[in-house]
Amino acid sequence: MSKVIVHSLFSEFDIDLFKGGKHYRLYEKFGSHITTVDGVKGTYFAVWAPSAKSVSVIGDFNFWIEGEHQLNVRWDESGIWEGFIPGVGKGSVYKYKIHSHNNDIKTEKADPYARRCEHPPKTASVVWEDSYNWEDAKWMKKRKKNNAIDAPFSVYEVHLGSWKRRVEEDRSLSYTELADELVAYVKEMNFTHVELMPIMEYPYDPSWGYQLTGYFAPTSRFGYPEEFKLLVDKLHQNDIGILLDWVPSHFPEDAHGLGFFDGSCLYEHPDKRKGYHPDWKSLIFNYGRNEVKSFLISNAIFWLDQYHADGLRVDAVASMLFLDYSREEGEWEPNMYGGRENLEAITFMKELNEEVYKSFPDVQTIAEESTSFPMVSKPTFIGGLGFGMKWMMGWMHDTLQYFAKEPIYRKHHQDDLTFSMTYAFTENFMLPLSHDEVVYGKKSIIGRMPGDEWQQFANLRLLYSYMFTHPGTNLLFMGAEFGQREEWNFQSSLDWHLLQYNYHSGIKHLITDLNLLYKTYPALYEKQFSGDGFEWISYDDHENSVLAYIRKGNKKKDSLVIACNFTPVPRNSYRIGLPNKGKLVQLFNSDSKSYGGTGDFDVSKTLIEDKDWHYRSYSAEINIPPLGAIVFKIE
């Protein structure tokens, strides 16, 4: 006989919103919630399973016996099963045993809304509540300014399991240890934000966290939920924002996960042409189902609300946008207008961004989107998808392809570098050198650079200097900031021992200074998404492989002049046209000795002359170092 007391957290309004796809705080209702009913303490459970004939909570409190605690189905045809179980409290381990109307199928599922999960490979959910006291009020009060699109945004992308490991214990750092060591490192490096590869619970380590089963639970691999809150809190207390990778594009078929949840295609689209991902052997959400839409948007809001995240980097947006993504002819069905766009997914993304920015105007959503789909980072009211930023995959591809070439051939490929400026201001672009670029035989970033050791590191310094002075925000994957030579391995720590060598420590010093330069000079961020913030001086000197350009802020006096030499031949007495008289004052030189360069081309000041050049009334002669970049301000 059931020992479940009839109880509900849902009002009729909640149900209407849920059915209409407009309930964006479902985590306050679904899942397990410790509460008191009629003076008795216990836990309220609620789960959506409309195809179920019965739903039981099984766990360590009833010896995992089905039927001991059978939930009650609501009368309103919402498909919600709920009830209060006395005596069940924090730390109790449970699943839902679902008996389906469909051919008497039984499934045993983890709670989709669980706040904590067992440590993999175990798969059950854990009743949890925490009373964490946040101490980041100062950051939260000013983060709208820190997270704005006209603020510096230099992102350090991190995989928590392999950033640094305790070798002697063969383990990753805990959330608590990361709150000390990662925070201190990111602060030292002058990054403005950290982006974490998915920290929501996932069963399979080689997926790097991109196949989720616990959407509302920080992975238990590194500690408790409140310990993850401590990590976020410490980042904020040190003026560092935190972005979370978020995966609404697909989910795995693991037996305890969302797939075939109640014996039916509940979360996934029932048509395999829309519901199965051939690349990742995973299931695709049914974006046209209102309750699924509410689940996903509630999940996005959850991490912003409960964990104070400063933004979400939305994974694999291109796979959501197009019905023919990774499919051959005949394997997909056109939309109602005969096109390839997934109209339901597009509507979902617009509603997601509208709700995020309505509730949290001080955060950013960032799309990992690799196609030319228009207006990804434009507001929905003018027809855009509503994201705050979009990854500039074209820049990444063209730039890495260019730098892999021997310098003698680069004069034939200068358009690989200049092409990005033809579309740089069509979106709010973030320039990514992400984890995807240092795996699966692509080599590390330094491993792509041609030449001897000196040239490889000079090329790397030049690449980063060009990246940080190019319009847009920046993202750098861990290890790239000190020239990690090996490809990234999710099972191993970064090669921190390399920092004992001058070239590697020089790259680390360079990134630290580039971040400081970016944060200090408004010309590099105030108009980073506007054509008003950029002006070519020279883009067509193919023979010398030189680029020169101006970055502009809101004030004319803030303008910076950048010159890059993409060959190992010094460009001495190289004349560039300039907008006004005065002196060029060097702010940064990638060839400085402290970075591992020659140190032979450091000049503190250069006089600007009354001499026409590059269609300008003034000009100056500068010495551009081999495989180097220099940044000047005009005094």
Side-chain angles (χ1 to χ4, degrees), residues 29-265:
K29 310 294 177 179
F30 279 113
S32 55
H33 298 271
I34 298 170
T35 188
T36 301
V37 175
D38 296 331
V40 179
K41 196 165 185 181
T43 299
Y44 165 81
F45 294 87
V47 65
W48 180 49
S51 291
K53 184 158 56 176
S54 67
V55 177
S56 294
V57 183
I58 58 173
D60 56 2
F61 46 86
N62 61 17
F63 303 102
W64 303 92
I65 297 173
E66 181 186 0
E68 281 289 299
H69 294 102
Q70 191 168 302
L71 297 179
N72 307 294
V73 66
R74 286 184 62 91
W75 55 270
D76 50 21
E77 298 183 349
S78 61
I80 296 171
W81 297 75
E82 61 183 353
F84 173 79
I85 305 178
V88 174
K90 183 175 179 178
S92 295
V93 181
Y94 70 99
K95 282 186 177 180
Y96 295 117
K97 187 80 171 186
I98 302 172
H99 193 173
S100 175
H101 281 294
N102 298 344
N103 301 319
D104 260 5
I105 293 170
K106 287 190 178 183
T107 59
E108 200 170 284
K109 296 292 186 177
D111 188 343
Y113 291 86
R115 303 292 183 91
R116 188 182 159 213
C117 302
E118 284 190 302
H119 193 300
K122 294 181 178 180
T123 57
S125 304
V126 182
V127 176
W128 204 253
E129 66 175 2
D130 68 70
S131 53
Y132 185 80
N133 293 314
W134 289 92
E135 296 180 14
D136 63 348
K138 187 177 176 184
W139 168 270
M140 296 297 282
K141 189 174 179 179
K142 66 177 181 177
R143 76 171 180 171
K144 185 169 186 176
K145 182 181 177 183
N146 292 340
N147 294 332
I149 60 171
D150 60 353
F153 232 89
S154 183
V155 182
Y156 185 54
E157 186 190 20
V158 178
H159 177 262
L160 290 185
S162 58
W163 179 70
K164 188 181 285 187
R165 295 180 64 87
R166 293 283 185 261
V167 178
E168 64 282 358
E169 302 171 46
D170 190 28
R171 67 171 178 86
S172 305
L173 300 188
S174 67
Y175 291 130
T176 305
E177 291 167 325
L178 289 159
D180 289 329
E181 297 188 37
L182 177 63
V183 173
Y185 181 76
V186 173
K187 187 173 185 179
E188 175 199 348
M189 295 297 297
N190 287 318
F191 284 100
T192 65
H193 292 73
V194 168
E195 180 181 313
L196 301 183
M197 291 167 68
I199 52 84
M200 302 81 183
E201 193 60 83
Y202 57 98
Y204 186 53
D205 285 340
S207 79
W208 311 334
Y210 288 97
Q211 300 225 7
L212 307 180
T213 50
Y215 272 76
F216 291 83
T219 178
S220 54
R221 287 167 174 80
F222 314 118
Y224 296 113
E226 51 266 50
E227 292 174 327
F228 179 60
K229 288 182 178 178
L230 173 68
L231 171 57
V232 175
D233 206 353
K234 283 292 179 69
L235 285 165
H236 284 171
Q237 289 172 41
N238 286 274
D239 284 330
I240 301 163
I242 179 167
L243 310 172
L244 302 179
D245 275 11
W246 185 59
V247 191
S249 47
H250 65 117
F251 57 94
E253 293 185 285
D254 293 61
H256 69 288
L258 297 178
F260 211 56
F261 189 80
D262 61 353
S264 72
C265 293

Side-chain angles (χ1 to χ4, degrees), residues 246-309:
W246 185 59
V247 191
S249 47
H250 65 117
F251 57 94
E253 293 185 285
D254 293 61
H256 69 288
L258 297 178
F260 211 56
F261 189 80
D262 61 353
S264 72
C265 293
L266 190 62
Y267 288 91
E268 67 270 35
H269 200 288
D271 184 343
K272 274 214 161 188
R273 292 172 296 181
K274 293 182 180 179
Y276 183 75
H277 204 298
D279 283 358
W280 303 317
K281 308 292 187 289
S282 56
L283 303 173
I284 300 171
F285 284 104
N286 185 353
Y287 304 109
R289 189 163 192 170
N290 285 339
E291 296 90 344
V292 173
K293 204 158 52 173
S294 278
F295 168 81
L296 286 171
I297 297 176
S298 289
N299 185 242
I301 296 298
F302 172 80
W303 294 101
L304 302 171
D305 175 26
Q306 298 289 302
Y307 283 88
H308 291 199

